[in-house]
Amino acid sequence: MTDQNHPGTADRHGALGDAEYAEFMELATGEGFEAEEIDSELAAAGGGPLPVLAVVGRPNVGKSTLVNRIIGRREAVVEDKPGVTRDRVSYEAEWAGRRFKVVDTGGWEQDVLGIHASVAAQAEFAIDAADAVIMVVDAKVGATDTDDAVVKLLRRSGKPVVLCANKVDGPSQEAEAAYLWNLGIGEPFPVSALHGRGTGDLLDAVLAVMPEAPADVFGGAIGGPRRIALIGRPNVGKSSLLNKVAGEERVVVDELAGTTRDPVDELIELGGQTWRFVDTAGIRRRVQDGVDYYASLRTAAALEKAEVAVVLIDVTEPISVQDTRIITMAVEAGRALVIAYNKWDLLDDERRFYLEREIEQDLVQVRWAPRVNVSARTGRHMEKLVPAIETALAGWESRVPTGKLNAFLGELVAANPHPVRGGKQPRILFGTQAGTRPPRFVLFASGFLEAGYRRFIERRLREEFGFEGTPVHISVRVREKRGAKKK
């Protein structure tokens, strides 16, 4: 069986042991699936956390353009202005058959703090969570003082770095890229992120230095402290909560965003055991411009290091779009989830009535997340936090044996068949849970399964097997003729 404490060691069978895999392959080949496509599907679903690649550098060197080139689509914001909300800063990518995450720090310059502080803050957040780094420099401009400051950060981090000399649109400009050897961080790769020139060589160099799995394996040694990220929008009480559970002032509650960074990891005794809290506090409304961007970048960095996300929501204010975005970030990152409704001591009956309606309407997609009503100021119900975290982690790591899962799927499909579409009725043939942390299921079907039917399957899986406090990922492999495109 795969070592669940070290998911990066998963083999091509995903979470299936050898005997279960052999039994499963017999079933799959009997239904007409090729062994090669089965193995690729199990490996993709059971591969565990992906290594993280950070793209850093000063503004206007083409970082977001390079990110879009790496992920193969225009998704990162290329022309960003202070105050513009940035929902996402991390994206999944693939090169030469290897999957990884890309963290984009491009496109935002904070005039209030000055260019050096802004670049340093962005780079520091991203580098901290990364397994490898691309530093982007404008080859036409050459190295600047800001570039030198980023290089110093990279040297202190000890992370592997690949130098991208961007805006090299033809061979005649490659001599300009060569001057960047003077930065002292290795060979500059001449690239045109806009046109794609040289990006293949750059990514080959990245794969050569990037680990197959995150260097910081979840949970550390067996029995080591579990990792909790406290996330939420500004002023929701993250620092106050951390200080309360620690029993002392560990974190400055009123900090100017972006100038310095709080201690990222805090070992705290709570509920009779030691936990490692990854704090994301310190981003305050005092610096208005770009606060959403900094919050997103910092939250993404914390989630990469955590196993469970505790999302704080201020109950004295209506649930905001930013609250739901942060919850979505945690779900998309595949982390266990607990929602802590903070400032409960300030709630009156009228606000409580509207809050419950907001939860029912805005958070319907995460009904499975444990809920705790707390007050970081008074310490109310802090004793309920640990049981909620333990429940979420248990769901995150749970697995259903293949035989038991297929017995369940057989009954489910017989009682609730997929709707007929275009004269055809797709059918689930069999399935397996190929991975945990979070639970990842692969279903093999005779035709495409609609999104509504997949949601129905997830809901019934939760009713039958629990999975409280964890996202559940379901992928579908459709049986088609050889060479047909996977759905």
Side-chain angles (χ1 to χ4, degrees):
M1 185 68 75
T2 301
D3 182 352
Q4 296 302 326
N5 284 291
H6 298 275
T9 64
D11 60 18
R12 69 191 182 107
H13 303 346
L16 280 67
D18 289 340
E20 190 176 8
Y21 172 74
E23 182 181 344
F24 181 73
M25 287 302 295
E26 185 178 348
L27 177 66
T29 53
E31 289 284 359
F33 287 88
E34 298 288 338
E36 183 177 333
E37 64 178 337
I38 296 290
D39 279 340
S40 67
E41 201 73 32
L42 295 182
L50 299 177
V52 177
L53 173 67
V55 179
V56 304
R58 62 182 180 81
N60 302 319
V61 294
K63 296 187 297 298
S64 292
T65 304
L66 179 62
V67 168
N68 285 331
R69 178 66 59 181
I70 292 172
I71 65 179
R73 59 191 183 277
R74 184 183 172 88
E75 196 163 330
V77 180
V78 175
E79 292 185 10
D80 203 11
K81 297 178 181 179
V84 176
T85 300
R86 292 178 54 113
D87 299 344
R88 298 189 61 186
V89 293
S90 66
Y91 311 89
E92 285 199 15
E94 182 176 339
W95 180 253
R98 283 178 59 185
R99 296 165 58 237
F100 52 93
K101 280 189 179 180
V102 183
V103 175
D104 174 33
T105 63
W108 201 86
E109 178 178 347
Q110 191 174 37
D111 295 331
V112 176
L113 296 177
I115 183 63
H116 293 286
S118 173
V119 172
Q122 294 180 37
E124 193 169 9
F125 295 158
I127 293 166
D128 188 54
D131 297 290
V133 180
I134 292 178
M135 180 177 174
V136 186
V137 179
D138 185 338
K140 292 181 178 178
V141 174
T144 67
D145 290 344
T146 304
D147 292 321
D148 288 334
V150 176
V151 167
K152 289 177 182 176
L153 274 177
L154 290 168
R155 284 184 176 140
R156 283 204 301 268
S157 75
K159 303 290 176 70
V161 180
V162 177
L163 178 57
C164 170
N166 195 26
K167 304 185 183 181
V168 178
D169 298 327
S172 61
Q173 297 170 326
E174 290 188 2
E176 298 171 341
Y179 285 114
L180 298 178
W181 275 101
N182 293 333
L183 282 171
I185 54 173
E187 177 184 357
F189 285 84
V191 165
S192 172
L194 186 62
H195 301 112
R197 184 179 187 271
T199 52
D201 290 341
L202 177 74
L203 288 172
D204 287 343
V206 168
L207 294 190
V209 299
M210 188 164 59
E212 292 280 350
D216 209 4
V217 176
F218 286 145
I222 296 174
R226 309 305 297 265
R227 301 181 183 195
I228 305 167
L230 295 177
I231 61 177
R233 57 186 172 84
N235 290 332
V236 78
K238 297 182 292 293
S239 287
S240 298
L241 179 64
L242 186 63
N243 288 335
K244 180 60 68 173
V245 298
E248 58 181 303
E249 294 295 314
R250 294 279 189 99
V251 183
V252 177
V253 173
D254 188 23
E255 182 188 7
L256 181 62
T259 52
T260 57
R261 184 187 56 169
D262 297 328
V264 173
D265 290 354
E266 293 282 354
L267 290 174
I268 292 174
E269 293 286 338
L270 190 62
Q273 57 185 306
T274 301
W275 305 84
R276 187 179 296 276
F277 278 79
V278 182
D279 180 35
T280 59
I283 305 166
R284 297 295 158 198
R285 294 182 190 273
R286 189 184 300 175
V287 180
Q288 291 288 344
D289 290 340
V291 70
D292 287 341
Y293 168 65
Y294 272 113
S296 294
L297 184 58
R298 196 162 192 166
T299 297
L303 285 170
E304 290 300 335
K305 298 184 68 177
E307 298 172 272
V308 56
V310 176
V311 179
L312 272 71
I313 291 178
D314 183 344
V315 298
T316 65
E317 300 178 8
I319 293 175
S320 68
V321 172
Q322 193 173 357
D323 289 322
T324 58
R325 282 179 184 145
I326 289 167
I327 290 172
T328 299
M329 286 181 72
V331 172
E332 290 183 348
R335 300 309 186 253
L337 177 65
V338 172
I339 301 179
Y341 295 89
N342 192 27
K343 306 184 184 179
W344 200 262
D345 56 310
L346 303 178
L347 204 62
D348 58 30
D349 289 340
E350 181 181 5
R351 175 66 194 129
R352 184 175 303 185
F353 171 77
Y354 286 108
L355 174 66
E356 296 299 339
R357 293 181 63 178
E358 290 164 14
I359 292 171
E360 183 66 27
Q361 178 178 331
D362 298 334
L363 304 184
V364 63
Q365 299 300 328
V366 288
R367 285 178 178 169
W368 42 262
R371 165 183 172 176
V372 288
N373 304 327
V374 300
S375 169
R377 184 176 66 87
T378 67
R380 172 193 167 102
H381 287 171
M382 284 299 177
E383 75 281 359
K384 295 185 177 181
L385 191 58
V386 167
I389 291 170
E390 290 175 335
T391 295
L393 284 169
W396 193 58
E397 295 177 324
S398 62
R399 183 173 182 273
V400 181
T402 299
K404 190 174 183 180
L405 174 65
N406 281 298
F408 162 77
L409 289 173
E411 294 177 3
L412 179 66
V413 170
N416 302 277
H418 192 287
V420 177
R421 293 290 184 265
K424 297 181 180 180
Q425 187 174 45
R427 184 169 58 91
I428 297 173
L429 304 170
F430 56 92
T432 189
Q433 185 180 344
T436 60
R437 314 178 74 165
R440 293 181 293 273
F441 293 88
V442 182
L443 305 181
F444 296 81
S446 62
F448 177 74
L449 303 184
E450 294 180 352
Y453 195 69
R454 295 190 197 198
R455 288 193 296 269
F456 165 72
I457 293 168
E458 179 186 337
R459 187 168 67 251
R460 290 290 291 110
L461 278 169
R462 291 185 182 280
E463 291 172 1
E464 183 73 16
F465 301 112
F467 297 117
E468 185 177 358
T470 181
V472 170
H473 294 173
I474 297 176
S475 61
V476 179
R477 165 70 81 167
V478 176
R479 181 181 61 191
E480 292 185 354
K481 295 178 182 178
R482 176 181 286 274
K485 185 178 178 181
K486 181 184 127 181
K487 295 292 182 182

